[in-house]
Amino acid sequence: MKRTKVPDYKEKSVFGVPLIVHVQRCGFPLPLCLQQALSHLRTYCLDQVGLFRKSGVKSRIQALRQQCELSPNCVNYEDQSAYDVADMVKQFFRDLPEPLLTSKLGETFLHIYQYVPKEQRLQAVRAAILLMPDENREVLQTLLYFLRDVTSLVEENQMTPMNLAVCLGPSLFHLSILKNETLSPRSIQRKYATGRPDQKDLSENLAATQGLAHMITECQHLFQIPEEMVTQSCNSYMEAALMVPPLEELCKVQEEEDGNEEVEEEDEEASYNAHIEGLIQNLLKEAKDKSKGWVSRLSSDNTELAFKKVGGHSIPIWWDLETRRRE
């Protein structure tokens, strides 16, 4: 069997690079130049009529893309057309090697808005979002919150959630890719020979548009863990007798291990601080050991940030400490 060659994306900085590669390079799934672009649009351009609907100038958009590729951490968007910047953002999502909603879950999202009753869609979308990779979920949340801000000035920019969904849906779902993966070469040739979309194409496009519009409207509720799931988790912990002990008991256990069983009331605060300091030192010692699974990430000045996957599932534990503590 021939080993499939995995691209290294060394020749690319921003466009056409998977989100997980951005995480590995800079610690963020969304490159800083794209974060700056969204910030610029949010601050100065939300009142522009037809934002994301009106096209920018191709040559200027290409110049912006080149600036991002050459300097991905800092791009100056002052004096740039709002439509050029918005088109560049749209192209970033269109050029991702895998759609933002992922190849595995893209069809699931479409089916939710095709077949699931309206009153159950929010619950279904929440569950699907929990299955997304961390980096995709984070970027989706950032984008949806930004698009919600765009719709907040709908009287000025005339961009409703449905209008935005029409403009951005194809870039987020990569519908043509999803369709081609499920069709045989002969079916694709026959389909494009007629020059007309079939009923399935129309249904999927409508589901993508309605789905994105719904997610923009409900973005503040999409990333909450469903209450029934929290209840089930609590019940499973209770059944397994895994209730978390109070902090006072943890301190007492630590004191007993240290041979200090008797602590007077006035020393309780000191005992608490000593306990926390002990936990921090143990955590720092563990983080230095690469084999323990901790991964360092760049952060603001005088701060060290790291995370590791917990127990085989996709939810990471994060911690950050001031550098002076480490020293």
Side-chain angles (χ1 to χ4, degrees):
M1 294 178 63
K2 293 183 178 179
R3 179 178 296 178
T4 304
K5 185 178 180 181
V6 180
D8 53 20
Y9 302 101
K10 290 182 178 179
E11 297 179 356
K12 299 179 179 179
S13 299
V14 176
F15 294 88
V17 178
L19 298 179
I20 187 62
V21 175
H22 289 302
V23 174
Q24 294 166 353
R25 288 177 177 176
C26 64
F28 306 101
L30 197 62
L32 287 175
C33 58
L34 265 294
Q35 295 182 39
Q36 293 164 356
L38 293 180
S39 178
H40 173 78
L41 292 173
R42 177 182 277 118
T43 305
Y44 302 107
C45 308
L46 293 188
D47 59 344
Q48 298 295 302
V49 176
L51 189 65
F52 286 104
R53 187 180 70 230
K54 291 186 176 180
S55 300
V57 177
K58 187 175 180 180
S59 59
R60 296 201 299 251
I61 297 170
Q62 185 61 32
L64 281 174
R65 288 174 60 112
Q66 291 177 354
Q67 288 184 43
C68 289
E69 291 292 336
L70 294 174
S71 181
N73 294 331
C74 185
V75 175
N76 185 6
Y77 293 101
E78 291 183 11
D79 302 325
Q80 298 289 349
S81 165
Y83 306 108
D84 295 341
V85 179
D87 255 0
M88 187 200 71
V89 171
K90 189 160 51 176
Q91 289 182 15
F92 171 81
F93 291 103
R94 187 191 64 195
D95 292 352
L96 286 174
E98 184 183 47
L100 178 61
L101 297 172
T102 76
S103 300
K104 292 182 179 179
L105 293 173
E107 195 171 11
T108 299
F109 282 101
L110 292 178
H111 286 175
I112 288 173
Y113 291 100
Q114 285 177 297
Y115 307 117
V116 175
K118 288 185 178 180
E119 62 273 12
Q120 298 177 7
R121 286 178 181 174
L122 179 59
Q123 182 181 3
V125 174
R126 278 178 172 179
I129 287 176
L130 285 175
L131 298 175
M132 295 177 68
D134 296 344
E135 56 275 7
N136 293 68
R137 187 189 311 110
E138 182 178 337
V139 172
L140 177 63
Q141 184 177 23
T142 299
L143 179 63
L144 291 179
Y145 273 65
F146 167 75
L147 296 177
R148 180 204 57 182
D149 292 343
V150 175
T151 62
S152 67
L153 293 182
V154 62
E155 294 184 0
E156 298 181 38
N157 58 38
Q158 300 178 10
M159 295 304 292
T160 65
M162 186 62 74
N163 289 341
L164 286 172
V166 170
C167 299
L168 290 165
S171 298
L172 301 188
F173 282 91
H174 291 195
L175 289 178
S176 59
I177 297 176
L178 290 176
K179 295 170 189 171
N180 292 341
E181 287 181 348
T182 59
L183 294 176
S184 65
R186 180 175 296 180
S187 300
I188 296 174
Q189 184 177 7
R190 189 186 316 119
K191 175 179 173 181
Y192 285 102
T194 62
R196 294 179 299 176
D198 55 26
Q199 187 59 39
K200 183 180 179 182
D201 291 347
L202 295 174
S203 176
E204 288 181 347
N205 279 302
L206 180 60
T209 302
Q210 293 178 339
L212 181 55
H214 176 259
M215 286 191 280
I216 293 172
T217 303
E218 298 289 343
C219 64
Q220 289 183 301
H221 305 105
L222 289 181
F223 302 90
Q224 300 173 358
I225 299 177
E227 293 181 6
E228 60 273 14
M229 189 176 296
V230 176
T231 302
Q232 291 174 2
S233 300
C234 291
N235 290 338
S236 64
Y237 275 103
M238 292 174 65
E239 291 172 1
L242 294 175
M243 299 299 293
V244 179
L247 182 60
E248 293 79 5
E249 293 186 16
L250 289 173
C251 291
K252 290 179 181 178
V253 171
Q254 184 69 31
E255 291 159 7
E256 291 175 359
E257 292 177 354
D258 295 340
N260 300 321
E261 298 183 4
E262 296 182 0
V263 179
E264 298 181 359
E265 293 184 0
E266 59 268 17
D267 294 334
E268 286 184 359
E269 184 176 353
S271 174
Y272 165 79
N273 292 332
H275 174 68
I276 296 299
E277 186 65 29
L279 293 177
I280 291 173
Q281 294 303 323
N282 290 335
L283 185 62
L284 289 170
K285 187 182 298 182
E286 179 182 331
K288 291 179 181 179
D289 189 348
K290 299 287 186 181
S291 64
K292 297 292 185 180
W294 288 94
V295 181
S296 296
R297 286 287 177 261
L298 297 177
S299 186
S300 56
D301 294 340
N302 299 324
T303 302
E304 183 177 351
L305 184 67
F307 78 93
K308 73 172 179 179
K309 301 289 184 179
V310 184
H313 58 72
S314 62
I315 300 177
I317 282 183
W318 288 87
W319 63 267
D320 64 279
L321 297 170
E322 294 183 9
T323 304
R324 64 173 180 270
R325 280 187 177 275
R326 178 168 56 81
E327 295 175 347

